[in-house]
């Protein structure tokens, strides 16, 4: 039976500060020997293209209440498999420009394996299950993205 | 009343964030969508045909044949792309 | 053929600042969409024991020059397998008290899979190959640690 | 001259960080260790028996039968435990 955990899940327009989040994670998990952070940033290239076309900004939309509850569920599912003391999950919405922070997952655990795996589990499921939508706007015009094939494949390894 | 929420490409196609209708004669999500398409732009119907749209009822993933009751909130959800 | 990468490898007694390191990683990898951080902290429990005995501090020793060159080698090996733009690896030595930071690996990559895998690869090999030694000092007295069985097992998955 | 560096438990057992000796008559690491043990505390010999000690020559992992030359630096490395 895994130890209990605490979590902080937050969806917002405003930016987040990594130093603050790291401090909060350490304070919430005083017995942890390992902290894994993942930060996703807005890339300046269109998804799936490696050319000169550039994305100016993303427009991120989500389904309030449902998204938060799906994120809680994903973190809960991660904890059924991996031991950790604390998780922080922050996802921004609204207009996000190139190189801005989009998402952060931090996992504090006694050992590194659990922290790495839980962070990957959360990210893979967030990408394929949580009700966020992303529109790329740039030199090629505006287009809503769907689930990427590689994310569909990535999430299957947890089945 | 039953409320429908649109997201992403479906919101653009609908030209609105949401749609509210009387629950009379609506047994499941398919009935709801049929009624809704009579009143909203045809672009929404095209968009619903064009991709794998998921459905939620009261903020939980559900099937297209999920039964509906007065007061329910239905989400029409294009493939997600967060993270 | 993977894109070239840059790295920053540093072994020191002084503490490191996560916010500074994160900023440096983002600046060194302007095209990256994913940053993975791992931070290892001094736990207050003896290695392999889950009881009341507590560790007061660790004494970390290393083999100067050889350690740096092994760390370069590990990062290079990671890059043979995974694509990333930048890696930062900082490992402290000397006397480190409970909950202090010991080690940090940061990987910035275009995509999250490469960043997660490279960070895990570097940590697993660091634990089993890099010339660091750790002595736990606390209520049970002082003892030098060897490679843990689970680290020996963890590193085998990359073979 | 050949220099030997001790680390962790071996440094404690040797009671010193390093040991330097003339390269004469030393063909490989085993010769070096044999000569060294004549001059250093017996606790070091016990410690070398007690665990799987790795060897480096000029800051690179090497075998116990690695040949040595004048000016080489040899490390005696107990099982590592960084990270």
């Amino acid at each position: 039976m895994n130890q209990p955990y605490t979590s902080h899940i937050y969806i917002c327009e405003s930016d987040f500060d990594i130093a603050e989040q790291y401090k909060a994670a350490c304070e919430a998990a005083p017995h942890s020997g390992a902290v894994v952070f993942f930060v996703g940033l807005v890339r300046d290239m269109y998804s799936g293209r490696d050319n000169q076309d550039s994305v100016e900004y993303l427009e991120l939309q989500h389904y309030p209440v449902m998204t938060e509850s799906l994120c809680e569920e994903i973190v809960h599912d991660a904890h059924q498999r991996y031991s950790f003391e604390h998780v922080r999950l922050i996802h921004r919405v609204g207009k996000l420009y190139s190189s801005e922070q989009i998402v952060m997952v931090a996992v504090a655990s006694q050992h590194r394996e659990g922290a790495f795996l839980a962070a990957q589990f959360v990210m893979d499921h967030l990408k394929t299950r949580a009700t966020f939508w992303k529109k790329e706007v740039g030199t090629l015009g505006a287009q809503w993205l769907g689930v990427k094939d590689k994310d569909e494949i990535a999430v299957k390894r947890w089945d | 009343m039953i409320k429908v929420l649109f997201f992403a490409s479906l919101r653009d196609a609908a030209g609105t964030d949401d749609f509210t209708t009387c629950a009379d004669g609506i047994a499941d999500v398919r009935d709801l969508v049929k009624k809704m398409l009579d009143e909203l732009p045809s672009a929404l119907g095209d968009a619903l045909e064009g991709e794998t749209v998921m459905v939620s009822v009261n903020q939980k993933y559900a099937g297209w044949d999920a039964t509906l009751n007065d007061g329910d909130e239905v989400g029409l959800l294009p493939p997600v792309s967060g993270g």
Side-chain angles (χ1 to χ4, degrees), chain A residues 75-142:
Chain A
V75 168
H76 174 266
D77 289 353
H79 191 257
Q80 297 291 104
R81 292 164 168 250
Y82 307 110
S83 173
F84 50 78
E85 236 188 317
H86 185 67
V87 170
R88 302 182 82 74
L89 169 51
I90 301 183
H91 201 301
R92 293 175 69 195
V93 291
K95 211 168 182 174
L96 301 177
Y97 286 84
S98 180
S99 86
E100 279 198 76
Q101 301 180 144
I102 308 172
V103 59
M104 182 209 85
V105 175
V107 181
S109 178
Q110 290 201 0
H111 305 291
R112 74 185 184 287
E113 303 81 358
F116 270 118
L117 288 167
Q120 284 165 288
F121 182 98
V122 168
M123 278 310 301
D124 282 357
H125 286 84
L126 185 85
K127 290 251 180 196
T128 49
R129 208 201 305 177
T131 41
F132 290 100
W133 296 273
K134 200 183 266 160
K135 184 161 69 175
E136 291 177 336
V137 184
T139 52
L140 279 178

Side-chain angles (χ1 to χ4, degrees), chain B:
Chain B
M1 304 298 276
I2 293 176
K3 188 174 185 179
V4 186
L5 300 180
F6 305 112
F7 295 95
S9 52
L10 297 178
R11 182 179 293 182
D12 292 353
T16 177
D17 291 6
D18 54 50
F19 169 82
T20 303
T21 187
C22 170
D24 292 352
I26 293 177
D28 61 18
V29 176
R30 284 183 210 284
D31 293 341
L32 172 70
V33 168
K34 203 173 162 204
K35 187 167 176 187
M36 178 187 86
L37 289 178
D38 290 342
E39 302 184 33
L40 289 175
S42 64
L44 179 59
D46 299 343
L48 284 170
E49 294 290 317
E51 20 185 15
T52 321
V53 173
M54 304 276 277
V55 169
S56 65
V57 176
N58 300 329
Q59 297 94 44
K60 287 193 187 310
Y61 280 117
W64 279 84
D65 50 2
T67 55
L68 294 176
N69 296 298
D70 193 31
D72 282 347
E73 179 180 289
V74 173
L76 291 181
L77 318 170
V80 299
S81 52

